[in-house]
Amino acid sequence: MRGVWLAAALVGCAYRAGSFSAWGHEFAGQRATLGCLDLAIDRRADGPLGAVVAYDLGNRCDHAIRVDLSEAAVVGRTGSGDVRLAPYDPMHELRAFWLDGRTVGRETIEYRSEEPIAARDLCVDAGSVVETGPYWQCFSSAPEERAR
Amino acid sequence: MRIVVLALLLASATATAEPGGRCAGGVCDVDTGPRPWVLTDSCHEDHDVVGYHRCPGFDWAKGENEPDIAVEAGLGWRHVLAPPVPAMMTARTASGDTPLADIATAELRLTVGLRGFYGGLELSIGDLTRRTYSFGALVQGGVVGGVQIPLGPFVVGAELLGGGRSERLTHNINNNMAPAVTAGIVEARARAGVWVTPWLMIEGALGTGVLDRRERFATVGVAFHSRTYAGQR
């Protein structure tokens, strides 16, 4: 990864606002622009213990921005209502970080509930990542289920 | 030694990670819960999900007060006090005992910056040969500190360097090596640069000696920064 950063620096491959791609990697999932942040959220195949959500981040601005994936609000929709899901973070890695200007980042997080639920639909408040106000994005089912 | 390396590799390959466990040097912690979708038999990175990956994640993330590290390389010109001609040598082109010489230098520096202030180390190597003596070299280094202000795509700043200089002359590079002449130096400089990419800056500096105002200094170079725009925007 450091080699990629070095190569990017030498050829000037900074993130271009609104491109939702960087260095050949296309941001996957539903896209949103929240202030300086270009954010794509994708629901990946569920794990046995939770739903898996991938975040692609791109900073549109020249200055660093605060991104807090630990604050992302994620709910599973069941027949009996919405259930708040919590990120699986045994090493306590999730916290507020700064994304440098014109750079990108990518993280994938598993979300679990206290009690096993049968949530086919999943909603993520993209706005909670950068505190810009609610911006919900919903996913009907995990990709593997959609393929069936 | 080969046997030890082979044994370590074997241990690494055969240490089957429990699903969700963590590995280090072939030894894996056991986590609870079946996660058959995590299939690993070594401690190589195999998963990008937080909590499951083995390599440190968040390589994109910066701390709020994470400094910018800059590596800079360039070429310089210095108008410096040259060492006196050693009695045992014959100066090739020295005009009398003129103490000043113009020399070309290679410049290298490493600085760490935060919130507009920076400090670091600097090294300069110059050739005293051409206009002074048969062979001569200048090496100087020191600690540099300064402040820089962003102005759109440009950066301007001022800095101070304190350190030492060593100059050595010889008429024959294999013999008659004169003792090194060392001196302390203090230089005041103005710097300016322009960002060509978020990580790369082309910059230049002009300076003068503080201990001897007759000394002059100019450089141009390129600086690679660990944070985009030095984290100053």
Side-chain angles (χ1 to χ4, degrees):
Chain A
M1 187 63 189
R2 285 185 173 83
V4 173
W5 283 107
L6 183 61
L10 292 176
V11 299
C13 288
Y15 176 70
R16 193 160 44 85
S19 66
F20 289 92
S21 66
W23 309 330
H25 168 68
E26 192 84 11
F27 289 9
Q30 297 185 29
R31 298 173 175 181
T33 296
L34 306 158
C36 283
L37 181 67
D38 281 344
L39 174 63
I41 301 176
D42 192 29
R43 183 176 184 184
R44 294 190 359 189
D46 287 352
L49 296 177
V52 178
V53 176
Y55 299 87
D56 275 313
L57 316 158
N59 188 344
R60 304 164 57 88
C61 301
D62 289 344
H63 60 81
I65 55 172
R66 188 176 184 272
V67 176
D68 192 352
L69 292 175
S70 69
E71 289 295 318
V74 179
V75 297
R77 290 191 165 161
T78 68
S80 55
D82 291 352
V83 176
R84 180 72 184 257
L85 304 180
Y88 175 63
D89 183 22
M91 300 296 288
H92 305 289
E93 296 170 276
L94 292 176
R95 56 189 171 88
F97 285 114
W98 291 80
L99 179 65
D100 267 350
R102 303 291 176 185
T103 63
V104 298
R106 178 179 173 83
E107 292 299 333
T108 306
I109 302 170
E110 181 187 42
Y111 291 91
R112 300 175 175 179
S113 60
E114 291 184 1
E115 298 294 329
I117 60 169
R120 292 181 59 84
D121 294 348
L122 187 78
C123 293
V124 181
D125 179 12
S128 58
V129 173
V130 284
E131 299 176 342
T132 58
Y135 191 102
W136 288 94
Q137 292 180 317
C138 293
F139 303 84
S140 60
S141 61
E144 60 185 15
E145 292 180 30
R146 288 199 295 263
R148 287 174 189 162
Chain B
M1 186 60 188
R2 283 184 182 176
I3 294 174
V4 173
V5 172
L6 204 60
L8 288 173
L9 288 173
L10 196 62
S12 173
T14 54
T16 302
E18 288 294 323
R22 295 186 166 278
C23 303
V27 179
C28 302
D29 297 329
V30 178
D31 198 355
T32 57
R35 300 186 189 97
W37 55 300
V38 181
L39 302 173
T40 65
D41 59 358
S42 73
C43 294
H44 298 293
E45 181 62 277
D46 62 332
H47 218 283
D48 62 351
V49 180
V50 171
Y52 295 100
H53 52 201
R54 282 151 177 76
C55 299
F58 295 92
D59 52 359
W60 54 270
K62 308 290 185 186
E64 186 175 6
N65 292 313
E66 187 163 328
D68 169 60
I69 299 171
V71 178
E72 304 169 48
L75 297 174
W77 162 83
R78 287 179 184 278
H79 188 62
V80 297
L81 289 172
V85 181
M88 59 185 174
M89 297 183 188
T90 303
R92 182 195 284 170
T93 57
S95 55
D97 56 355
T98 302
L100 290 161
D102 291 313
I103 62 170
T105 57
E107 309 282 336
L108 188 65
R109 49 194 261 151
L110 175 71
T111 58
V112 178
L114 186 64
R115 300 184 190 281
F117 296 93
Y118 62 89
L121 301 173
E122 182 179 295
L123 176 69
S124 302
I125 300 173
D127 181 11
L128 280 167
T129 302
R130 292 181 59 191
R131 295 191 179 183
T132 53
Y133 314 105
S134 298
F135 301 99
L138 171 148
V139 177
Q140 87 170 40
V143 177
V144 65
V147 60
Q148 59 185 18
I149 303 166
L151 293 172
F154 303 99
V155 172
V156 295
E159 67 181 28
L160 211 58
L161 173 134
R165 176 189 298 156
S166 172
E167 293 164 299
R168 176 167 280 190
L169 301 170
T170 179
H171 186 59
N172 181 333
I173 199 161
N174 297 314
N175 297 298
N176 299 331
M177 184 73 86
V181 176
T182 58
I185 54 167
V186 178
E187 289 181 352
R189 304 163 177 174
R191 300 187 75 86
V194 59
W195 292 103
V196 290
T197 82
W199 293 274
L200 272 183
M201 175 189 285
I202 293 176
E203 59 183 15
L206 294 172
T208 181
V210 174
L211 303 180
D212 189 323
R213 295 290 180 86
R214 291 175 297 172
E215 293 197 336
R216 298 283 187 270
F217 158 85
T219 64
V220 291
V222 63
F224 170 72
H225 290 259
S226 65
R227 299 199 63 179
T228 57
Y229 303 110
Q232 278 197 277
R233 290 191 177 179

